[in-house]
Amino acid sequence: MRIQFKTSYDHDIRLFPDRHSLIVYGALILLALVLPFLINEFYIGEVTNVLIWAIAGLGLMLLTGQTGQASLGHAAFLAIGCYTNTILIEQGLPFLLAFPLAGVITGVVGAIIAIPALRLHGIYLAIATIALSILADDIIVLLEPWTGGVSGKFPDVIRVFGMEIERWTMPVRFYYLVLAVAVMCTLFYRNILRSPLGRAFDAVRDSEVSATAMGVHIARTKATAFGLSCMITGWAGALMGYYAGAFNNETFSLVISITLLMMIVIGGLGSIHGAFFGAVVVAFLPQGLSILKDSVLGSGVAIPGLETGVFGMILILFILFEPMGLYGRWLKIRIWFELFPFARKDMFRRQKSYLKTERLR
Amino acid sequence: MDGVQLLVSGLANGCVYGLIALGFVLIYKATEAVNFAQGDFMMLGAFVTLGLTNAEYLHLPFWIAAPLAILIMAFFGYLLDLLILRHLFGQSQTAVVILTIALGFVIRFVAGVIWGHEPQTLESPLAFGDVSLGGVVLGMADVAVIVVTVLLTWSLYQFFQRTKLGLAMQAASQNQMAAYFMGIPVKRVQGLIWGLSGATAAVAGILFASKGAIDPNAGLLGIKAFAAAVIGGFGSLPGALAGGLIVGVIEPFAARYLAAGYSQIAPYALLLAVLVFRPHGLFSQVRTKKV
């Protein structure tokens, strides 16, 4: 059993709460660095996929998990990041400039879109973002001179300091690139949480009225959350473009938006771990299902819609029985062992809130 | 005459959107949650009717099958609330949103397994024959859709305004705790409203299937109905119908008079415009509380 003995207020906002977690995360980074020497290139590709989904998940988590605004339109921002990056590189910008810029532009676009959306509460924001996700498809077709329309685009080979990085021929290099972005995004996310802005996000999520009373500017905080969330999502989108090798108007569909939202719910809302856990589920579920199907029904039997159906069922079970997601379950198991034999069942019981109308304000 | 023809076919389509939107509004009015699976409810209702009516399945007469399907869907809605949604009592609305999206996936999958993914047509007595009115040709199905929709909207509106149960439902949505103290069985009322919205979805499904072929992805129509509900104002039944008609009428006209790429955008662009300028819809229910 670990005991955190806090002797100063700085302990509350340390990057690593104690030496134990420093060691654990250090070991994790080390493992990620030596992973290409341990497993073959196919699996490196899969791990890369997980990391890209995790980055996208971090983006949405900042908005949904931290600030409490559900967005069903983040595929549109993946698309903006992806197209911006490719177009900037086509204009002759080096990757090291184009890639961060793609994220920033996505973030700015996101914040601009968010401003009208901010007046909207809960479900209305979700609705506006659904419309956005549907519109993105058509707008990409309409902007054919830039986006290539239905025939799509093929991202160029990445060149960093004279070194070429490509997803198919050099998966290990691409893996390190994605890993670097993932680590940076995680640190960025973690540091936001340590700042006053992160506290403001949590306050807005938990109660807008109390947040206002504490001097938090609701609209500005939400717009910032939307912008930062879109920025991270934009980077993930650019990486997704490289990973896929080709993309067009249908790559970033509403289904991707929904998958992203479901992913962070399964992972566990409001935690960095949740984005990574959810990404593992989303990336490996299709393969796992097809292996299971082949072993039960024999290969060659196709069941259309099986993936989304099973995904939906898993999600329903999670919302009913483990609303805190995989990370919540992990936390409960860990605490049970740490406190053994003093863990009690009601330690994670949540306060129930009873519905009051939003139509009377 | 061309314009009138477009208008009438748009109205008929709009009524189907309106019917699905009614389902959204019912749930929202009584629980302030949004059922993103309403379109899939509609699809399921259509397939249940098809399964009862068509020759290769049960082959019941249509006029027995249709009420039976409505009953089955009402029961399905009630059961859904009893088994799943009631356990979310006290959780955030986002949880309900995500849950119903997931439910939509599952319903689509199950319907695909049972009835296959090929488009099928309902053997409906409404599907045959045309009516000619002063040069405008109307399908029987279109007429039926318009009549049934208007009747259903009117009776649901009366139900919410006049009956004890309807008022109880509104009360339960405005303040669960207070409604409970007033002796309203909040949980059972919510179950009933889910049943009611299931029945509405079945009606929408039967009418939709009479107008053309259905397949498990027909539920995606729900997104357009969703736009309709928002344009009309989420808490208002006549608003839902009006929103449905607006979306339904805009579509054929946009397809006719706008360039190819722009016509699909029209309903959603309108949706965004409404959200920006009148966030709570054209028939807004939001009032500022007087203190």
Side-chain angles (χ1 to χ4, degrees):
Chain A
M1 185 171 167
R2 273 181 294 137
I3 296 169
Q4 283 185 27
F5 187 62
K6 290 175 182 165
T7 51
S8 88
Y9 289 115
D10 285 343
H11 281 197
D12 274 335
I13 54 166
R14 273 185 184 171
L15 193 56
F16 300 104
D18 53 21
R19 191 179 294 151
H20 176 82
S21 63
L22 180 68
I23 293 170
V24 168
Y25 292 112
L28 197 63
I29 293 277
L30 208 65
L31 178 68
L33 284 175
V34 299
L35 202 60
F37 304 104
L38 301 177
I39 58 180
N40 71 25
E41 288 193 341
F42 171 75
Y43 287 106
I44 283 296
E46 294 300 311
V47 175
T48 313
N49 190 21
V50 170
L51 286 177
I52 294 174
W53 274 102
I55 298 169
L58 280 177
L60 186 58
M61 189 72 88
L62 192 60
L63 187 68
T64 308
Q66 298 300 332
T67 324
Q69 313 293 312
S71 163
L72 284 166
H74 260 52
F77 299 108
L78 286 173
I80 294 176
C82 183
Y83 278 101
T84 316
N85 181 50
T86 312
I87 291 167
L88 286 178
I89 286 182
E90 277 172 7
Q91 297 299 318
L93 257 69
F95 175 78
L96 280 183
L97 202 61
F99 183 72
L101 210 56
V104 172
I105 290 175
T106 315
V108 172
V109 173
I112 291 171
I113 289 173
I115 289 169
L118 289 178
R119 301 202 297 159
L120 311 173
H121 276 261
I123 53 152
Y124 283 95
L125 187 68
I127 297 161
T129 49
I130 282 189
L132 204 67
S133 202
I134 296 168
L135 283 179
D137 184 336
D138 294 314
I139 290 173
I140 289 170
V141 176
L142 289 177
L143 293 178
E144 205 191 331
W146 291 303
T147 60
V150 183
S151 46
K153 272 192 179 292
F154 305 92
D156 203 7
V157 177
I158 306 169
R159 288 187 183 80
V160 182
F161 300 126
M163 195 171 66
E164 290 193 343
I165 302 176
E166 214 261 312
R167 182 249 180 281
W168 296 107
T169 51
M170 295 156 255
V172 174
R173 284 186 186 176
F174 187 62
Y175 166 74
Y176 280 122
L177 174 75
V178 173
L179 182 65
V181 177
V183 170
M184 272 190 272
C185 285
T186 313
L187 280 177
F188 177 66
Y189 190 114
R190 182 82 180 93
N191 280 330
I192 287 176
L193 294 194
R194 296 163 64 207
S195 72
L197 186 65
R199 302 296 169 112
F201 287 170
D202 281 358
V204 169
R205 174 191 62 191
D206 291 339
S207 165
E208 288 191 13
V209 177
S210 345
T212 319
M214 299 296 282
V216 174
H217 193 299
I218 301 277
R220 201 182 302 150
T221 310
K222 280 189 193 169
T224 317
F226 219 98
L228 291 175
S229 156
C230 292
M231 185 167 83
I232 299 178
T233 312
W235 285 326
L239 291 175
M240 234 174 231
Y242 285 117
Y243 185 80
F247 50 87
N248 68 355
N249 58 322
E250 287 177 354
T251 311
F252 303 100
S253 60
L254 183 62
V255 177
I256 301 280
S257 298
I258 294 174
T259 311
L260 209 52
L261 186 63
M262 298 193 164
M263 178 180 107
I264 62 170
V265 172
I266 289 181
L269 276 179
S271 64
I272 295 172
H273 301 75
F276 284 88
F277 285 154
V280 171
V281 173
V282 165
F284 287 116
L285 187 72
Q287 273 93 335
L289 265 183
S290 72
I291 291 169
L292 195 71
K293 194 185 69 191
D294 287 352
S295 63
V296 174
L297 297 171
S299 59
V301 183
I303 308 176
L306 179 71
E307 271 169 39
T308 48
V310 171
F311 196 46
M313 278 181 233
I314 292 176
L315 197 69
I316 292 174
L317 292 179
F318 262 102
I319 290 181
L320 286 182
F321 300 112
E322 189 54 271
M324 291 166 77
L326 282 173
Y327 180 62
R329 176 52 54 184
W330 158 243
L331 216 57
K332 283 175 191 173
I333 293 171
R334 204 180 73 187
I335 287 189
W336 190 84
F337 277 107
E338 278 179 2
L339 295 182
F340 187 81
F342 298 114
R344 282 172 300 121
K345 207 180 158 202
D346 285 347
M347 287 178 73
F348 286 91
R349 172 159 291 189
R350 297 198 300 182
Q351 178 78 42
K352 279 193 176 176
S353 61
Y354 292 93
L355 179 77
K356 273 189 187 166
T357 184
E358 285 177 0
R359 282 176 276 163
L360 276 174
R361 270 187 288 133
Chain B
M1 216 71 282
D2 203 27
V4 179
Q5 188 73 52
L6 281 181
L7 184 71
V8 172
S9 68
L11 283 179
N13 270 333
C15 281
V16 174
Y17 298 150
L19 274 177
I20 305 174
L22 279 185
F24 282 126
V25 171
L26 281 176
I27 303 253
Y28 183 77
K29 229 173 152 60
T31 66
E32 295 237 338
V34 177
N35 177 17
F36 279 78
Q38 192 69 34
D40 300 292
F41 273 32
M42 186 277 291
M43 177 271 293
L44 195 63
F47 267 115
V48 168
T49 320
L50 188 143
L52 292 173
T53 315
N54 274 18
E56 66 261 43
Y57 299 106
L58 284 178
H59 201 55
L60 291 173
F62 176 79
W63 296 112
I64 297 175
L68 202 60
I70 293 172
L71 266 181
I72 291 174
M73 283 306 292
F75 187 64
F76 174 75
Y78 186 79
L79 215 62
L80 208 62
D81 178 70
L82 192 71
L83 295 180
I84 297 180
L85 287 141
R86 203 164 284 187
H87 298 281
L88 292 189
F89 209 71
Q91 280 196 39
S92 75
Q93 286 185 22
T94 317
V96 182
V97 169
I98 295 167
L99 184 93
T100 50
I101 293 174
L103 214 56
F105 279 156
V106 174
I107 293 175
R108 224 170 297 155
F109 168 63
V110 171
V113 168
I114 299 178
W115 287 286
H117 287 263
E118 296 299 313
Q120 302 189 46
T121 44
L122 177 67
E123 290 157 10
S124 156
L126 302 173
F128 306 106
D130 294 322
V131 186
S132 185
L133 268 177
V136 182
V137 183
L138 281 174
M140 265 299 281
D142 290 347
V143 178
V145 167
I146 294 173
V147 171
V148 172
T149 308
V150 172
L151 277 179
L152 197 64
T153 312
W154 182 78
S155 45
L156 283 174
Y157 183 74
Q158 293 299 325
F159 169 70
F160 270 102
Q161 296 301 324
R162 298 281 165 82
T163 65
K164 212 173 170 183
L165 186 60
L167 289 174
M169 284 171 175
Q170 294 203 45
S173 92
Q174 291 192 354
N175 192 332
Q176 278 180 348
M177 190 78 95
Y180 185 73
F181 287 148
M182 294 298 120
I184 295 169
V186 175
K187 288 186 176 180
R188 202 185 316 145
V189 161
Q190 289 201 353
L192 286 177
I193 202 83
W194 276 89
L196 194 58
S197 100
T200 316
V203 175
I206 294 168
L207 292 172
F208 178 71
S210 304
K211 279 163 61 68
I214 46 165
D215 65 287
N217 285 326
L220 296 178
L221 199 74
I223 297 178
K224 272 179 199 156
F226 204 64
V230 175
I231 289 169
F234 234 106
S236 158
L237 289 166
L241 182 57
L245 293 180
I246 291 171
V247 171
V249 169
I250 279 181
E251 265 189 326
F253 278 95
R256 179 77 197 263
Y257 296 110
L258 287 179
Y262 294 90
S263 56
Q264 304 101 295
I265 296 185
Y268 303 108
L270 179 71
L271 167 66
L272 281 180
V274 168
L275 279 178
V276 170
F277 295 108
R278 261 190 87 83
H280 297 285
L282 299 176
F283 296 75
S284 175
Q285 291 240 318
V286 176
R287 291 182 295 272
T288 310
K289 200 153 128 188
K290 293 193 180 84
V291 184

